[in-house]
């Protein structure tokens, strides 16, 4: 659009700045600037009373206070890398479970008559409209020690002679709530993709003698890969940074990256290290997006 | 396989998975027991407790006020951003608008916390929460408005220009009425996101101001009573109505239904 830009009249140019200026300035101030500050903060020393060491201090020694200390610290103790790896696997597991649960639902909606599709999609979005914390809290009730599910599981375990287990405050509770909260993010892009498939392709496959499984595996599934990739990104990324679900439903050992970051900012108040962890999380997210885009584009050629 | 019984069974199981937990929260809000364990009897008690809980009511008031101010601002800014992205391309602006939507919420939360305290030296409270909410809502409004603009035939704007309409007149009489359903849907979305947000608010609220989600969080963390169920049920009802409104309002405004 750059050539069109060159021959804009003065009035049109003014319009352009009037329209794009306010959101541009706002986001420059409250999104770009804070992000830059965070990068800078990750190279600073922590302040005496938490936060950062003052930038404009009278003491010139602190003025030059840029350091790689927090990054060195991150790699000096394997526990931090371990938490990153654990978060990655939790995000991966959540994504896979969401995919397995979302696929049949999305497929059914896509193959339903046009009139009922809107309602079926709405029914997927509706629980998603309830507050995030309420959806997590629901699992606190469902997995509580007096709840039917716990009684059942422990009844079965008791019958075979195994000790009782706690469903609440466990990795299991974290995973199930992660799936519950993010499921609609997987259903919607999948449905959007599946809905566009031409049913005559399946007819052709059937005429050529493909059974239901082969029709799915060789026609529907490859065509739905773009939907799978966008859904997976929408689930994977938020789960990677999630702190509230492990915080509420997890035990002491279920700390993920998000909890670590929260702890640095609000608990120990080591902001430089918190910033470093945030930068690491950003890099992890970018890496995943890049990988997904690459895999998506190579697979897309065969589909 | 087309729509076989197995597909139906699997899909219904997923619907049940989505709805059963929420149904249980609602049911226990009427349970005459302090524990969310077994059904004792019907009561309105927890709603009564809720209506006399000053902190909770204040938090609800804060949430509403913040959602109102931030959704109106985000709607204005997001509409502008959506129009700019549609008309001029503007890849840098698109990047700035969409990234806060795509990245994990905690990153925006902590970077704003850092920025407010370390750079602006701002006392955290209403203002910081509102700014944070506007920042993440702009993208949602912009995407909806841009999608709406993409569906409009460009020649209508050319016609307006040829007939001598100024840019403002074109916007006022042509563009705005056409994108209004998108603007309203975006505004409702921003309102819901604001009232619903926990993570970013958690980092930008400070100690003085509590919103409804923050209040619910501390109740869940410290002392769970069915009052949480009661407030959840009411919130569920409100947000369901907003979602239904945002689904159907655009049609109504276009005079379709």
């Amino acid at each position: 659009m750059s050539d069109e830009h060159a021959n804009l009249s003065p009035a049109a140019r003014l319009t352009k700045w009037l329209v794009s200026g306010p959101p541009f300035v706002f986001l420059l101030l409250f999104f770009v600037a804070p992000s830059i500050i965070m990068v800078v903060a990750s190279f600073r020393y922590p302040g005496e009373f938490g936060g950062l060491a003052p930038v404009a201090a009278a003491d010139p020694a602190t003025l030059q206070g840029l350091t790689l200390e927090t990054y060195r610290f991150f790699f000096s103790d394997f526990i931090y890398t371990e938490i990153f790896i654990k978060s990655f696997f939790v995000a991966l597991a959540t994504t896979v479970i969401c995919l397995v649960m979302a696929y049949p639902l999305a497929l059914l909606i896509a193959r339903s008559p046009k009139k009922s599709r809107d309602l079926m999609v709405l029914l997927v979005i509706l629980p998603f409209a309830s507050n995030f914390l309420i959806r997590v809290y629901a699992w606190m009730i469902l997995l509580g020690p007096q709840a039917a599910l716990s009684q059942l599981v422990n009844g079965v375990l008791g019958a075979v002679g195994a000790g009782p287990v706690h469903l609440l405050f466990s990795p299991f509770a974290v995973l199930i709530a992660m799936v519950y909260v993010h499921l609609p993010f997987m259903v919607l892009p999948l449905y959007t993709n599946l809905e566009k498939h031409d049913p005559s392709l399946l007819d052709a496959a059937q005429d050529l003698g493909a059974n239901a499984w082969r029709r799915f595996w060789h026609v529907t599934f490859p065509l739905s890969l773009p939907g799978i990739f966008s859904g997976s990104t929408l689930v994977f990324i938020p789960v990677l940074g999630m702190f509230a679900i492990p915080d509420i439903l997890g035990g002491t050992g279920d700390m993920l990256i998000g909890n670590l970051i929260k702890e640095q900012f609000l608990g120990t108040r080591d902001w430089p290290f918190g910033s470093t962890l945030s930068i690491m999380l950003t890099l992890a997210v970018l890496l995943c997006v890049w990988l997904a885009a690459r895999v998506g584009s190579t697979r897309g050629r065969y589909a | 396989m087309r729509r076989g019984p197995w597909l139906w069974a699997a899909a219904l199981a997923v619907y049940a998975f989505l709805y059963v937990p929420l149904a249980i929260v609602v049911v226990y809000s009427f349970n005459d027991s302090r524990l969310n364990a077994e059904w004792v009897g019907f009561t309105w008690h927890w709603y009564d407790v809720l209506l006399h809980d000053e902190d909770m009511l204040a938090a609800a008031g804060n949430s509403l006020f913040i959602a109102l101010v931030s959704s109106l601002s985000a709607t204005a800014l997001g509409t502008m951003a959506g129009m700019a992205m549609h008309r001029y391309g503007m890849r840098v602006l698109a990047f700035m608008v969409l990234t806060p939507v795509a990245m994990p919420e905690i990153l925006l939360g902590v970077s704003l916390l850092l920025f407010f305290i370390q750079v602006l030296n701002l006392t955290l409270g209403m203002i910081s929460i509102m700014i944070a909410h506007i920042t993440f809502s702009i993208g949602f409004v912009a995407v909806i408005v841009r999608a709406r603009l993409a569906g409009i035939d460009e020649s209508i704007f050319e016609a307006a220009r040829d007939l001598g309409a100024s840019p403002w007149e074109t916007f006022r009489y042509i563009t705005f009425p056409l994108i209004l359903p998108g603007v309203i849907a975006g505004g409702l979305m921003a309102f819901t996101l604001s009232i619903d947000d926990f993570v970013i608010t958690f980092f930008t609220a400070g100690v003085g101001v509590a919103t409804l989600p923050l209040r619910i969080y501390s109740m869940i963390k410290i002392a769970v009573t069915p009052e949480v169920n009661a407030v959840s049920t009411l919130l569920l009802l409100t947000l369901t109505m907003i979602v239904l409104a945002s689904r159907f309002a655009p049609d109504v405004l276009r005079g379709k239904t």
Side-chain angles (χ1 to χ4, degrees):
Chain A
M1 294 233 171
S2 52
D3 43 61
E4 194 185 315
H5 181 208
N7 43 38
L8 282 178
S9 70
R13 196 163 303 169
L14 179 70
T15 314
K16 180 179 172 180
W17 292 117
L18 279 178
V19 171
S20 60
F24 190 81
V25 171
F26 187 91
L27 290 168
L28 203 61
L29 199 57
F30 296 114
F31 169 61
V32 178
S35 307
I36 294 171
I37 300 300
M38 196 162 75
V39 176
V40 175
S42 73
F43 293 106
R44 301 282 314 283
Y45 290 104
E48 242 178 292
F49 307 105
L52 305 178
V55 184
D59 181 7
T62 49
L63 254 176
Q64 305 148 343
L66 290 181
T67 172
L68 283 170
E69 177 61 24
T70 54
Y71 287 90
R72 197 192 60 76
F73 185 66
F74 178 85
F75 289 109
S76 71
D77 196 337
F78 187 63
I79 183 144
Y80 300 115
T81 314
E82 206 181 291
I83 290 179
F84 267 70
I85 294 171
K86 190 163 77 179
S87 307
F88 179 84
F89 278 110
V90 169
L92 191 68
T94 308
T95 309
V96 171
I97 298 172
C98 278
L99 180 62
V100 170
M101 291 181 77
Y103 211 106
L105 183 57
L107 201 59
L108 181 79
I109 300 177
R111 289 178 182 178
S112 293
K114 253 202 164 72
K115 285 208 112 171
S116 45
R117 277 184 218 166
D118 269 357
L119 179 69
M120 292 170 90
V121 170
L122 188 65
L123 283 174
V124 175
I125 305 173
L126 219 47
F128 177 60
S130 70
N131 186 279
F132 161 76
L133 290 167
I134 296 171
R135 280 174 285 156
V136 179
Y137 171 65
W139 287 100
M140 243 177 134
I141 301 178
L142 275 166
L143 300 176
Q146 283 121 341
L149 198 60
S150 290
Q151 304 276 2
L152 181 75
V153 169
N154 284 323
V156 172
L157 284 177
V160 297
V165 291
H166 283 283
L167 295 181
L168 195 56
F169 309 125
S170 71
F172 170 74
V174 173
L175 194 61
I176 200 167
M178 290 282 201
V179 170
Y180 186 63
V181 166
H182 296 97
L183 192 57
F185 289 116
M186 186 65 91
V187 178
L188 297 180
L190 263 181
Y191 159 70
T192 316
N193 171 285
L194 290 168
E195 186 209 28
K196 290 193 217 111
H197 291 192
D198 185 349
S200 58
L201 287 174
L202 291 177
D203 293 334
Q206 191 162 20
D207 293 345
L208 293 169
N211 62 22
W213 171 249
R214 286 174 63 94
R215 287 199 298 274
F216 173 75
W217 190 241
H218 292 287
V219 180
T220 308
F221 183 76
L223 282 174
S224 69
L225 281 173
I228 293 178
F229 281 118
S230 53
S232 299
T233 324
L234 288 178
V235 173
F236 191 90
I237 292 175
V239 174
L240 205 56
M242 173 65 66
F243 83 93
I245 291 176
D247 196 62
I248 295 168
L249 293 175
T252 41
D254 299 322
M255 209 182 209
L256 300 181
I257 307 173
N259 305 79
L260 202 57
I261 294 177
K262 178 210 147 194
E263 192 52 34
Q264 303 309 316
F265 276 96
L266 303 178
T268 57
R269 287 181 61 82
D270 184 346
W271 287 13
F273 189 50
S275 302
T276 303
L277 292 169
S278 307
I279 304 283
M280 293 299 194
L281 173 59
T282 312
L283 292 178
V285 168
L286 290 177
L287 185 73
C288 295
V289 172
W290 180 74
L291 278 177
R294 269 191 71 99
V295 177
S297 65
T298 43
R299 287 293 184 85
R301 257 179 264 142
Y302 301 113
Chain B
M1 188 67 194
R2 298 292 162 90
R3 285 217 294 159
W6 286 108
L7 197 58
W8 269 106
L12 284 178
V14 175
Y15 273 128
F17 175 72
L18 285 173
Y19 280 91
V20 167
L22 290 177
I24 286 178
V25 172
V26 173
V27 168
Y28 277 129
S29 76
F30 299 106
N31 188 16
D32 197 3
S33 157
R34 282 193 68 82
L35 298 172
N36 286 311
E38 54 180 336
W39 181 255
V40 177
F42 182 90
T43 179
W44 287 106
H45 175 71
W46 302 111
Y47 290 88
D48 193 47
V49 172
L50 180 65
L51 289 177
H52 293 95
D53 184 338
E54 299 286 335
D55 288 346
M56 189 69 93
L57 294 179
N62 288 341
S63 278
L64 266 180
F65 181 63
I66 291 167
L68 209 61
V69 174
S70 65
S71 64
L72 285 174
S73 320
T75 307
L77 291 169
T79 304
M80 289 178 179
M83 287 174 63
M85 280 152 63
H86 174 75
R87 185 117 41 106
Y88 310 112
M90 299 199 131
R91 299 183 64 169
V92 178
L93 182 68
F95 173 80
M96 283 161 65
V97 165
L98 299 177
T99 317
V101 175
M103 64 188 202
E105 284 183 287
I106 192 169
L107 292 175
L108 188 62
V110 295
S111 64
L112 278 170
L113 169 69
L114 210 66
F115 182 70
F116 286 142
I117 296 209
Q118 219 71 41
V119 179
L120 296 188
N121 211 355
L122 186 82
T123 310
L124 297 181
M126 286 284 204
I127 304 283
S128 56
I129 301 176
M130 283 176 195
I131 291 174
H133 286 196
I134 296 168
T135 309
F136 71 71
S137 302
I138 288 179
F140 289 93
V141 181
V143 168
I144 297 175
V145 169
R146 185 173 63 170
R148 183 91 198 148
L149 277 165
I152 298 173
D153 186 357
E154 285 291 325
S155 58
I156 194 170
F157 302 117
E158 282 166 33
R161 224 177 308 148
D162 292 347
L163 291 170
S166 70
W168 168 250
E169 283 168 334
T170 311
F171 174 75
R172 172 68 185 80
Y173 296 107
I174 312 287
T175 317
F176 189 69
L178 283 173
I179 60 170
L180 186 61
V183 174
I184 291 175
L188 283 169
M189 179 106 187
F191 186 86
T192 330
L193 287 169
S194 167
I195 240 178
D196 209 36
D197 180 73
F198 165 68
V199 175
I200 292 170
T201 316
F202 185 73
F203 288 101
T204 50
V207 281
V209 180
T211 64
L212 210 47
L214 291 182
R215 188 76 201 117
I216 293 173
Y217 175 74
S218 58
M219 286 188 84
I220 293 176
K221 284 292 278 185
I222 297 157
V224 182
T225 73
E227 190 191 342
V228 181
N229 299 53
V231 72
S232 303
T233 306
L234 290 182
L235 216 50
L236 206 61
L237 210 64
T238 319
L239 288 170
T240 305
M241 287 195 302
I242 295 178
V243 170
L244 291 178
S246 66
R247 280 296 280 210
F248 297 115
D251 279 355
V252 174
L253 284 168
R254 267 176 293 166
K256 268 176 70 177
T257 337

